[in-house]
Every structure is written in C-alpha cells, then in structure tokens.
C-alpha cells in the first residue's frame, strides 16, 4: 500500500465517529456507526465490539477468507474510506491492543466487557482526502 500523506493519517487520529459496512446474507449492505482505529504501519483497522453483534455475525459468516468490508469517516470536505478483509479476533492480547488504541483515539476507556472481540480489517485500499 502506498504511503499516506501526513494529513490523511492525522485525520485518522482525530476523534470522529465512523461507519462500518458489512454484507448481509442476501448481499444487501448493513451500515452501522462504530469507533475505528487505523494502524497504517500494520495495514490494519480495528473495531472493538460485542461478540454477539450482527456485524460480527456477518464477518464470521464469510469464513476464513474474511469478509469484504469498508469503514468510512467524514468531516466537511475531508473524508476517508478504508476497504479490506475483516476477521473476528478473540485473543486477549489482540482485544487489549484494540481497546488501548480506541482509548487513545476516543479519549475514553471502554468499560469491561467479557464478550468483547475485535474486528481486524486488513486494508487493501485507502481512499479519501484528509
């Protein structure tokens, strides 16, 4: 993936609500608001969520290949979309890292949730104007 301009990366560090688009079994889009963190060095976006959520079920239904998804944020003329393959991760260290990054970006630490998982998106394409 090409190196991003600094303003694009800064935009992903600012506090913005995002959307996640997954696909339902019938192929229609399911769009929900989420908090997202973007680790450009690792090529990963992360979303913490409850393991029983519909978005998690959609991602799991895609199997080991991962689900095609997109996350997006917009602020006036600035916008950014990350596209890639999502997988649900349950390993405690991966969930803890996602929580740490969320707390850093959104300036609040989420409360304990034993059902928490992380949706990790391996980024294939980054679009937008930061």
């Amino acid at each position: 993936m090409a190196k991003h301009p600094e303003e694009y990366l800064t935009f992903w560090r600012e506090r913005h609500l995002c959307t996640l688009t997954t696909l339902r079994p019938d192929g229609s889009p399911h769009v929900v608001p989420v908090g997202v963190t973007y680790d450009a060095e690792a090529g990963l976006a992360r979303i913490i969520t409850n393991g029983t959520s519909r978005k998690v079920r959609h991602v799991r239904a895609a199997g080991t290949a991962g689900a095609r998804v997109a996350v997006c944020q917009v602020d006036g003329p600035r916008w950014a979309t990350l596209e890639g393959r999502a997988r649900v991760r349950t390993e405690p260290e991966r969930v803890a890292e996602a929580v740490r990054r969320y707390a850093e970006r959104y300036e609040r630490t989420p409360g304990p949730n034993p059902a928490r998982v992380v949706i990790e998106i391996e980024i294939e394409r980054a679009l937008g104007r930061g």
Side-chain angles (χ1 to χ4, degrees):
M1 181 175 302
K3 185 169 169 49
H4 301 297
E6 186 54 39
E7 57 270 6
Y8 188 83
L9 297 174
T10 298
F11 187 39
W12 277 106
R13 288 189 292 268
E14 296 171 3
R15 188 181 191 283
H16 295 288
L17 188 61
C18 303
T19 59
L20 168 68
T21 302
T22 59
L23 298 177
R24 294 182 179 101
D26 68 1
S28 64
H30 178 246
V31 183
V32 294
V34 292
V36 176
T37 61
Y38 179 36
D39 179 353
E41 280 188 30
L44 287 177
R46 296 175 178 93
I47 300 163
I48 57 173
T49 188
N50 194 303
T52 60
S53 70
R54 186 155 315 267
K55 58 188 162 285
V56 166
R57 285 183 279 177
H58 293 162
V59 171
R60 284 186 168 146
T64 58
R68 305 257 331 145
V69 302
V71 290
C72 182
Q73 66 181 17
V74 64
D75 181 35
R78 300 183 308 157
W79 65 276
T81 299
L82 302 172
E83 299 174 352
R85 297 237 176 226
R87 292 172 182 82
V88 177
R89 305 303 298 250
T90 59
E91 300 92 333
E93 66 280 2
R94 290 185 101 104
V95 174
E97 177 63 9
V99 168
R100 182 191 70 75
R101 289 174 178 274
Y102 176 95
E104 185 177 282
R105 181 175 190 197
Y106 292 97
E107 299 175 346
R108 76 172 196 86
T109 301
N113 178 355
R116 181 174 289 131
V117 299
V118 59
I119 296 173
E120 287 186 350
I121 304 165
E122 291 180 33
I123 305 304
E124 296 171 348
R125 184 180 315 163
L127 309 162
R129 183 177 55 235

